[in-house]
Amino acid sequence: MHASRSIRPVARLVAMPTHAFDASTFAYMLRVEPQRLIDPFLGIDAFSMPQSYFLPHPHGGMSAITLLFADSPGGVRNRDSTGDDSIIAAGDLHWTQAGSGIIHEETPSEPGSAALGLQIFVDMAPEHKYQDAAVFKVKRADMPVMQDGDVHLTAVAGDLPDGSAASPIGADARWSTRVGMWDISVQPNGVLRLPIPNLHNVFFVLRSGSLVFRTAQGEQVVDQPTAVVWSPVVLPTPVVGDDVVLQAGPDGCHGVMFHGKPIGEPVLQHGPFTGNTRQDIANYMQAFHDGDMGTLEPSFVRG
């Protein structure tokens, strides 16, 4: 099945430094320069949140997504200015597509029981940056699964690698930046080869275990927290696309693979807002100031 497909080379291994928000809430943060290597993604935070920290805050021009790990001890309560009030349980996906603007607050659903997961930031194309805010939710039980030997793969967003099934989020026409997210576990020393759609950027956030890479200098073992970023496709390229390879270390590995078609527009970020121009940022700031993003009273007081 791989005869006509090539192996995509790794562009870089990116360390994810720790950022402490308070004495107990922290995240391993992925930011890649240049951002075009992971476009349409903007960044990833692998977080541990045992106590309330994040007061109501706005977003505009992008999506802020919470994916809780299936073994997360606690859940997350997400409230927003559209009126949504949801409990994100272990393994669930909650996608806040900000568009023209939204205000939300995320707190542990059971204070003292840490919520463990990923906060994922995804860009929106210029034609979608001012559409109405929307929220999409997918329960873990509704995500399709592929089990193949040493590999367990869950399609959090997008299709399974063989195209046989897809996450329910794709059924909503309002979902604008259509990316793929695969939660992947590989048994010790197992090897996984995955087809990636033509022209998509792709990277993998290693959550636990280790990966093995063979380089000119010999075998290299990579531990968490690390991200693997594969090289962008350079035209001309075969229409069939190419594959990426993960080799688990002696303790196996678990993480999330992300892929998506680049938007290819300038990215200007200012706090919680993402635009293509300074005028976009000014528009979001003005909308927030004028109350056009709605309002949301905090559910707690930060100590």
Side-chain angles (χ1 to χ4, degrees):
M1 68 181 280
H2 301 299
S4 61
R5 301 178 65 90
S6 59
I7 299 295
R8 190 184 298 208
V10 172
R12 62 186 65 177
L13 303 174
V14 183
M16 297 174 63
T18 307
H19 177 82
F21 295 96
D22 61 20
S24 60
T25 302
F26 67 91
Y28 301 110
M29 307 183 82
L30 174 67
R31 301 295 185 270
V32 179
E33 294 294 339
Q35 181 268 338
R36 63 176 176 79
L37 291 175
I38 60 170
D39 181 10
F41 296 90
L42 299 166
I44 310 283
D45 295 344
F47 66 85
S48 174
M49 182 174 63
Q51 304 294 338
S52 296
Y53 177 84
F54 300 101
L55 291 162
H57 56 279
H59 287 291
M62 45 81 79
S63 292
I65 302 116
T66 297
L67 171 63
L68 286 190
F69 295 128
D71 60 354
S72 176
V76 170
R77 182 186 181 194
N78 188 102
R79 302 166 55 242
D80 68 43
S81 54
T82 70
D84 186 77
D85 189 343
S86 301
I87 299 297
I88 310 169
D92 290 355
L93 176 74
H94 188 100
W95 189 298
T96 300
Q97 185 170 277
S100 60
I102 194 171
I103 301 171
H104 77 157
E105 174 196 83
E106 292 183 301
T107 57
S109 59
E110 307 161 37
S113 186
L116 305 177
L118 300 179
Q119 182 91 132
I120 304 154
F121 303 101
V122 176
D123 200 6
M124 299 177 72
E127 62 269 26
H128 297 139
K129 282 188 178 293
Y130 291 97
Q131 66 186 32
D132 291 342
V135 175
F136 313 106
K137 311 170 196 179
V138 182
K139 293 292 185 183
R140 187 68 166 205
D142 296 328
M143 300 173 185
V145 172
M146 180 186 82
Q147 181 74 48
D148 184 9
D150 293 334
V151 176
H152 185 277
L153 183 151
T154 301
V156 176
D159 299 340
L160 285 173
D162 63 3
S164 61
S167 169
I169 192 172
D172 195 316
R174 298 174 300 165
W175 186 43
S176 66
T177 311
R178 296 189 166 240
V179 299
M181 300 183 189
W182 297 328
D183 183 292
I184 297 172
S185 294
V186 184
Q187 294 299 309
N189 303 310
V191 178
L192 172 62
R193 180 170 174 169
L194 287 171
I196 301 300
N198 196 39
L199 301 182
H200 281 210
N201 283 333
V202 56
F203 62 101
F204 180 78
V205 172
L206 178 63
R207 185 226 177 172
S208 62
S210 59
L211 295 171
V212 178
F213 294 92
R214 288 178 173 81
T215 68
Q217 291 72 42
E219 191 172 89
Q220 180 178 4
V221 179
V222 178
D223 298 311
Q224 75 285 357
T226 302
V228 183
V229 180
W230 280 269
S231 297
V233 170
V234 179
L235 294 174
T237 184
V239 174
V240 292
D242 52 12
D243 296 344
V244 298
V245 176
L246 289 176
Q247 180 176 340
D251 47 354
C253 72
H254 171 243
V256 180
M257 184 169 286
F258 302 86
H259 67 85
K261 185 178 180 180
I263 293 173
E265 294 287 341
V267 173
L268 184 62
Q269 292 183 269
H270 182 81
F273 306 131
T274 302
N276 302 124
T277 66
R278 291 184 179 181
Q279 187 60 53
D280 288 330
I281 301 300
N283 292 345
Y284 296 133
M285 293 178 68
Q286 188 68 48
F288 176 57
H289 179 270
D290 291 345
D292 294 340
M293 296 184 181
T295 59
L296 186 68
E297 292 299 317
S299 65
F300 68 98
V301 176
R302 187 185 295 167

